[in-house]
Amino acid sequence: MLNLISLIVGVVTVPVMLVALIPLLGWLNYLVIPMAIVGLVLGVLSDSNTGRNLNIVVLVIGAIRLSLGGFIF
């Protein structure tokens, strides 16, 4: 059950992350990263790895994009 919730959080977070890749919308990563962390925690608590892996990918891409923008954009 926790894996399903983690997947849902990840699937909701992916479109927001894709929008945050657009220049001048990088501030959305401040929303993406906490959402991905919540999904990651739920994925770690579950038996399956799918939700955890999805949220790890989203978290890494969001963190890289935020650091490339100088933590501003």
Side-chain angles (χ1 to χ4, degrees):
M1 185 67 181
L2 288 175
N3 188 45
L4 179 63
I5 297 171
S6 176
L7 276 171
I8 291 171
V9 170
V11 168
V12 168
T13 307
V14 167
V16 179
M17 180 205 55
L18 292 175
V19 170
L21 291 175
I22 298 172
L24 299 177
L25 292 178
W27 56 270
L28 281 173
N29 286 308
Y30 287 112
L31 177 68
V32 168
I33 291 174
M35 288 172 58
I37 290 173
V38 169
L40 179 64
V41 169
L42 292 172
V44 167
L45 294 175
S46 72
D47 295 332
S48 183
N49 295 338
T50 311
R52 182 194 68 193
N53 293 342
L54 174 64
N55 285 296
I56 287 173
V57 169
V58 171
L59 182 65
V60 168
I61 292 173
I64 290 172
R65 169 62 177 97
L66 191 60
S67 67
L68 287 175
F71 299 100
I72 297 172
F73 296 110

